[in-house]
Amino acid sequence: MQVDRKDSKIAMAHIYVAMIALLLGGTAGLLQVLVRSGEFKLPWGIGYYQVLTVHGVLLGLILTTFFIYGFQIAAVSRTSGALSAKQRLLCWIGFWTMTTGTAMASAMVLLNEASVLYTFYAPLQAHWIFYLGLTLVVVGSWVGGLGQALRWMQWRKENKGQTSPLLSFMVVCNNLMWFVATIGVASEVLFQLLPWSLGLVERVDILLSRTLFWSFGHALVYFWLLPAYMIWYVVVPKVIGGKIFSDALSRLSFIMFVLFSVPVGLHHQLTEPGVDGSWKFLQVILTMMVVIPSLLTAFSLFATFEIRGRALGGKGVFGWLKQLPWGDARFFVPFLGMLVFIPGGAGGIVNASYQMNQLIHNTIWVTGHFHLTVATAVVLTFFGACYWLVPHLTGRTLTKEMNRLGIIQAIVWVVGMGIMSSAMHVAGLLGAPRRSAFSDYGGADIASTWISYQIAQAVGGTLLFIGILLFLYIFVKLCWFAPKGQEEFPIAEVAPNAEKTPAILENFKLWIVILVALVLIAYSFPIFDIISNAPLGSKGYKLW
C-alpha cells in the first residue's frame, strides 16, 4: 500500500522545511560549542546568544514540528486512507501558516532582534514579529493537526465497531497532547508577550509567563518522543520481520503519555520561589508516572525483538540478539536511539527529583540530558525513518550504498553525542552553568575545572555536525538521485496470540475529561496564587 501522491507532496513539503532547519540549526550548534571551548570567537559581530536562539528554536521547535507533521500525514494516509480534499486543504493551510511564522521568527533572530533563547524568557524582550511568528507556528500546527484527526474520525465512521489502525490512533493521541499543551504557551504569547513587546502594556508578570511556558515546555518533549515511539512500536517490528507484541499495550502506553505529560511542567520550576512547594511536589509525582508507559514500551519492544530472534534460531540468554538485522539501517539506526534513551531517561529522573534537581538545575547537565533524549533517541529514530519514508514518498529506493552510509552516519552521531553529552553531564556536576557563553568568571578557580570538558564538547559537536552533513547528503540522494522504484512503508501486524484491544482505549471523550481534570488540578490553583500575589511586573530588557 502506498501513501496517496497528493498526500506525499504535503508530507515532503514539511520534511524539506525540517531539513533546512537541521542544516541552519546544526551550524549554529557547532558555533556554540566552538565558542564555549574558549578557542574561537564569532565573526562579523554575531552574538553567542543570537546563535543559541537560532540553534534552540530551529532544532527544538521547527525541525521537530515539521518532520513530525510530515511523518504523521504520511502515516494517516497510509493506514486510514488518502486524505479528502478538505483534509488536505487544512494540512496545506497549516503548513503555509507554520512556514510563514518560521520565516518571521527566524528573520528577527538573524537581525539580532530576538536573542531570547529557546525558552524566550521574560524579562528579555524580543521584537513583536518574533512572538507573532511563533504564534503562527502554533496556530498552523493546530490547523494541520485537525486535518490529520479528521481523517481518523472519517475512518471510524466508515468502520463502526472496529478497532482503528494503530498508527493513526497514535497520531491522534500525539496531536491531542500537543493541542492541550500549546494552549498555555499560546496564552502566554498572545496575552502577555505580544502586548508587552508592542508597548501596549509596560510590564509583564515573569513568574506567570514562565509557568505558562513550561505547561507547554515539558509536554513538548513527549510531542517529539511519541512519533519515535510510533516508529518503534509499529514500523521496526515489520522491518525485522516480526509482529507487534500487543496492540492493547501500545494504545495504553500512548493514553498514559497523553494523561501524564501535560500537567508536569512545574518540575522545570523547582527552584522558582513564587510557586508553593506542595504544587511542585504534586507535579513531581505526576512526572514520575510517565516512567510507567516508558517501561511498558521497553518491555514490549524487547519482547518483540527476542521473539523474532528466537524464531530465527537464536539460542541461550542473548543468542537472539545475533539474529536481528544489524546491517539494515532502518533497524540499526532507531535501535541505537532506543539504547541511548536508557541513560537519557535515567537523567530525566534526576532532573525531575525534588531534591536532586537542586544540584543540577541551572547547570549544563540539563543540556546534556536534553541532547541524549531529543537529539539522539528522537533524532536518530527520525533519521532511520527517513531511509524508508523519503524514498517511499518520492518514488525511489534505498540503495546498498545509502544503507551502508546511513549506518556509518549513525555511528558518527552516537560517538559525537557520547563525547559531547558526557562532557556536559560531568561539567554540570562540577557546576558549569547552562545558557551562558564561555567565561572564566573573573579567574575563579572552579571555572578552570570546566575548560577541558568544554573542549571535549567542541570535539563532540564537530562530529555531530559531520553527522548532519552526512545525513543531508543521504537525504538529497534519496530525494532526487536514487534509482526510481517502490520502497515499502512498513506497517507491522499484531501478533496472533495478543489480547484483544478493549474498546475503552479508543474512547477519547473519557480520556479528554480525565486529561482536563488533571490539568485543572495541577495548574488552576498555582496560577490563581501567582495572579493573586502578582508583583508589579517587569519592564522589558534587551541585553544583547
Side-chain angles (χ1 to χ4, degrees):
M1 292 184 62
Q2 295 288 118
V3 174
D4 183 87
R5 291 189 64 182
K6 293 180 180 178
D7 298 339
S8 294
K9 289 181 179 179
I10 307 175
M12 284 305 301
H14 285 81
I15 295 173
Y16 290 142
V17 175
M19 293 304 110
I20 294 170
L22 174 64
L23 177 60
L24 297 178
T27 303
L30 174 64
L31 294 176
Q32 273 184 261
V33 291
L34 292 177
V35 170
R36 287 182 65 90
S37 72
E39 304 295 328
F40 177 79
K41 290 187 177 180
L42 290 168
W44 310 309
I46 299 173
Y48 175 82
Y49 299 105
Q50 184 181 8
V51 171
L52 174 55
T53 307
V54 170
H55 178 68
V57 171
L58 286 184
L59 295 190
L61 294 176
I62 305 307
L63 163 67
T64 51
T65 304
F66 275 87
F67 182 86
I68 288 167
Y69 268 38
F71 165 70
Q72 289 187 167
I73 289 167
V76 170
S77 179
R78 166 68 174 80
T79 55
S80 291
L83 275 62
S84 67
K86 177 184 176 182
Q87 295 156 4
R88 201 172 288 130
L89 177 62
L90 287 172
C91 290
W92 275 120
I93 292 172
F95 168 77
W96 285 113
T97 304
M98 289 197 299
T99 303
T100 301
T102 300
M104 292 167 62
S106 300
M108 289 301 103
V109 178
L110 294 175
L111 291 172
N112 204 23
E113 293 290 338
S115 298
V116 291
L117 315 190
Y118 151 72
T119 47
F120 45 91
Y121 271 180
L124 295 178
Q125 189 180 70
H127 195 283
W128 64 269
I129 293 177
F130 173 80
Y131 296 125
L132 181 59
L134 292 180
T135 302
L136 291 178
V137 172
V138 172
V139 172
S141 71
W142 291 348
V143 177
L146 177 61
Q148 300 164 35
L150 287 175
R151 185 62 190 90
W152 176 81
M153 293 168 66
Q154 179 184 335
W155 190 97
R156 293 270 292 172
K157 290 179 180 177
E158 294 169 350
N159 301 269
K160 290 184 178 180
Q162 297 185 38
T163 303
S164 66
L166 177 58
L167 198 54
S168 292
F169 170 86
M170 291 173 163
V171 167
V172 173
C173 286
N174 199 36
N175 287 350
L176 171 62
M177 182 188 67
W178 172 255
F179 174 75
V180 174
T182 49
I183 291 174
V185 73
S187 301
E188 177 202 6
V189 173
L190 281 173
F191 300 115
Q192 284 190 288
L193 302 185
L194 256 179
W196 178 58
S197 60
L198 283 166
L200 301 177
V201 296
E202 184 183 24
R203 297 173 181 269
V204 67
D205 186 331
I206 296 172
L207 180 56
L208 179 60
S209 71
R210 290 186 181 184
T211 303
L212 290 174
F213 176 86
W214 283 118
S215 69
F216 148 84
H218 193 78
L220 174 64
V221 175
Y222 294 102
F223 175 68
W224 299 328
L225 184 62
L226 289 190
Y229 274 37
M230 295 178 204
I231 294 164
W232 297 353
Y233 268 118
V234 180
V235 173
V236 171
K238 178 66 172 181
V239 170
I240 67 173
K243 305 284 187 182
I244 297 170
F245 179 74
S246 169
D247 180 276
L249 186 149
S250 306
R251 293 176 198 260
L252 175 63
S253 68
F254 267 66
I255 290 295
M256 293 183 75
F257 275 120
V258 169
L259 296 181
F260 298 122
S261 60
V262 179
V264 297
L266 285 183
H267 83 242
H268 286 265
Q269 298 174 267
L270 292 179
T271 60
E272 291 274 12
V275 180
D276 187 86
S278 58
W279 298 115
K280 296 176 183 176
F281 183 69
L282 171 65
Q283 294 207 18
V284 165
I285 294 173
L286 291 172
T287 302
M288 295 306 174
M289 294 294 290
V290 179
V291 175
I292 298 174
S294 294
L295 293 177
L296 289 175
T297 300
F299 169 78
S300 176
L301 291 173
F302 281 88
T304 298
F305 298 155
E306 182 173 357
I307 290 170
R308 178 57 179 164
R310 294 195 183 283
L312 292 173
K315 304 294 183 183
V317 179
F318 296 110
W320 53 272
L321 278 170
K322 298 178 183 178
Q323 305 299 322
L324 299 177
W326 299 107
D328 189 336
R330 301 174 303 162
F331 165 73
F332 179 76
V333 179
F335 187 84
L336 286 182
M338 297 178 202
L339 290 184
V340 173
F341 192 62
I342 296 172
I349 294 175
V350 172
N351 297 347
S353 298
Y354 204 87
Q355 293 79 14
M356 288 187 285
N357 181 273
Q358 309 300 313
L359 175 66
I360 52 84
H361 180 85
N362 201 39
T363 73
I364 202 167
W365 161 289
V366 176
T367 313
H369 158 75
F370 190 78
H371 281 81
L372 279 184
T373 51
V374 178
T376 309
V378 171
V379 169
L380 270 182
T381 301
F382 291 174
F383 286 169
C386 282
Y387 299 143
W388 51 263
L389 178 61
V390 172
H392 178 90
L393 297 176
T394 58
R396 298 187 181 270
T397 57
L398 177 66
T399 63
K400 290 183 178 180
E401 176 194 0
M402 291 299 101
N403 181 78
R404 183 167 58 251
L405 194 56
I407 291 174
I408 294 171
Q409 187 273 342
I411 293 172
V412 170
W413 191 271
V414 170
V415 171
M417 190 62 75
I419 295 171
M420 188 181 82
S421 180
S422 297
M424 286 177 170
H425 278 84
V426 176
L429 292 176
L430 294 174
R434 56 180 169 142
R435 299 193 183 107
S436 66
F438 176 87
S439 171
D440 61 3
Y441 284 80
D445 290 339
I446 191 173
S448 64
T449 66
W450 308 333
I451 295 175
S452 60
Y453 295 104
Q454 287 165 311
I455 292 173
Q457 291 167 35
V459 172
T462 302
L463 286 174
L464 287 169
F465 186 70
I466 293 171
I468 288 174
L469 296 180
L470 279 173
F471 174 74
L472 290 175
Y473 171 76
I474 299 170
F475 177 78
V476 170
K477 291 278 285 188
L478 293 178
C479 285
W480 295 289
F481 300 104
K484 292 186 176 181
Q486 287 190 342
E487 190 73 32
E488 180 188 22
F489 190 129
I491 301 291
E493 298 176 356
V494 180
N497 58 344
E499 291 288 334
K500 184 180 178 182
T501 301
I504 193 173
L505 290 176
E506 295 206 301
N507 185 354
F508 276 101
K509 293 180 181 178
L510 171 64
W511 305 124
I512 289 172
V513 168
I514 296 174
L515 174 59
V516 170
L518 284 173
V519 172
L520 289 175
I521 292 169
Y523 275 108
S524 58
F525 289 104
I527 289 177
F528 177 77
D529 286 344
I530 291 169
I531 294 174
S532 299
N533 300 291
L536 182 61
S538 177
K539 295 181 179 180
Y541 292 90
K542 182 178 178 181
L543 305 176
W544 60 91

